[in-house]
Amino acid sequence: KTVNWLAIALVALLAGAPAGAQTPPDSKDFDRLFSRAMELHQAGDLLGAIDSYKAALAILPDRADALSNLGAAYAKLGQYNDAVQQYDAALKADPDNTQIRMNLALAYYKSARPGDAIPQLKRVVSSDPQAKAAYLILADCYLQAGQYQDVASLLQPRESMFGEDLAFAFMLGTALLQTGNTADGQRYVDRVFGAGESAEGHLLMGMAYLGQQNYREAKDELEKAV
């Protein structure tokens, strides 16, 4: 079983699927523009969709669905700062919307801002304790921030949720080794290597070579992981 943990953000990036419209009773122009924006979004015309979402929001600036979809279009283009701005505005309009909060966290995560993603992801898993992808992304944010004990505290009690998931084993094993729990950490690392050829195994080797400043071997292993 091979799981590319580096792709876990793609699983959760539901921002690419526009939210359904909520029909306001007195805004036919908004409805027309929003419907057109979603058609363009679904057809892959992101720039056209952005223009139409903006035109719709000029009429009803607090519509969370339109703000979230605009953020989704920006995220698809890799414009994560713009996506963050729109998701943040959408959350202000609909603060209990867990999916919008998850998309905001992903925009932070994809733009290499784990410190900003962490509080959003903590609220996501608090609202949805079964959100496996959110736990893994939160764990990776902790890893990037050097908060190894937080990784262990987050993942160890949830082993039954993840089973043989290699992303789980990779992150928990790495964190345990970093906190000095060599025996338990090695057990999870061995699970990664025991699964045969995997992105996680190559990533572990790449990290080991980086630690030795053996950049040529590290480059080879990381390319294999990708």
Side-chain angles (χ1 to χ4, degrees):
K1 179 180 178 182
T2 300
V3 177
N4 185 347
W5 75 273
L6 293 173
I8 56 178
L10 300 179
V11 174
L13 192 55
L14 300 179
Q22 306 163 2
T23 306
D26 56 352
S27 303
K28 291 182 180 180
D29 287 340
F30 175 91
D31 289 342
R32 176 179 55 80
L33 290 164
F34 189 33
S35 295
R36 177 60 176 160
M38 288 194 296
E39 290 173 2
L40 293 169
H41 196 155
Q42 291 165 343
D45 183 356
L46 298 175
L47 295 179
I50 287 171
D51 287 341
S52 292
Y53 284 134
K54 286 181 175 179
L57 286 164
I59 299 170
L60 291 176
D62 295 327
R63 277 287 293 264
D65 49 0
L67 288 164
S68 179
N69 286 359
L70 178 55
Y74 280 129
K76 276 282 191 178
L77 290 172
Q79 298 179 16
Y80 296 114
N81 289 336
D82 291 324
V84 163
Q85 183 178 358
Q86 300 306 319
Y87 287 138
D88 190 56
L91 269 184
K92 287 182 172 65
D94 187 4
D96 296 325
N97 192 311
T98 300
Q99 186 56 62
I100 294 175
R101 191 174 299 282
M102 181 67 180
N103 287 338
L104 173 60
L106 284 165
Y108 282 132
Y109 176 79
K110 297 288 257 181
S111 57
R113 297 164 65 183
D116 291 318
I118 286 171
Q120 302 300 333
L121 289 163
K122 288 172 71 173
R123 292 188 62 173
V124 170
V125 297
S126 176
S127 299
D128 183 3
Q130 301 304 312
K132 292 175 67 173
Y135 282 114
L136 291 178
I137 297 169
L138 177 55
D140 188 43
C141 287
Y142 283 145
L143 277 181
Q144 292 183 49
Q147 298 174 223
Y148 303 115
Q149 187 56 56
D150 287 327
V151 178
S153 298
L154 179 71
L155 294 183
Q156 274 188 305
R158 297 177 173 84
E159 182 155 8
S160 61
M161 175 188 291
F162 291 96
E164 297 300 310
D165 188 305
L166 293 184
F168 168 85
F170 168 84
M171 286 188 275
L172 181 53
T174 301
L176 290 171
L177 290 174
Q178 290 289 340
T179 58
N181 191 341
T182 306
D184 286 341
Q186 191 63 50
R187 178 164 58 90
Y188 289 105
V189 170
D190 288 346
R191 184 189 301 178
V192 173
F193 286 115
E197 186 83 1
S198 70
E200 292 81 7
H202 288 299
L203 183 58
L204 280 170
M205 289 301 299
M207 292 170 65
Y209 281 127
L210 280 174
Q212 300 166 8
Q213 297 185 350
N214 185 341
Y215 301 119
R216 178 175 296 177
E217 294 292 341
K219 177 176 178 291
D220 288 344
E221 290 294 333
L222 294 173
E223 285 178 342
K224 290 175 183 177
V226 171

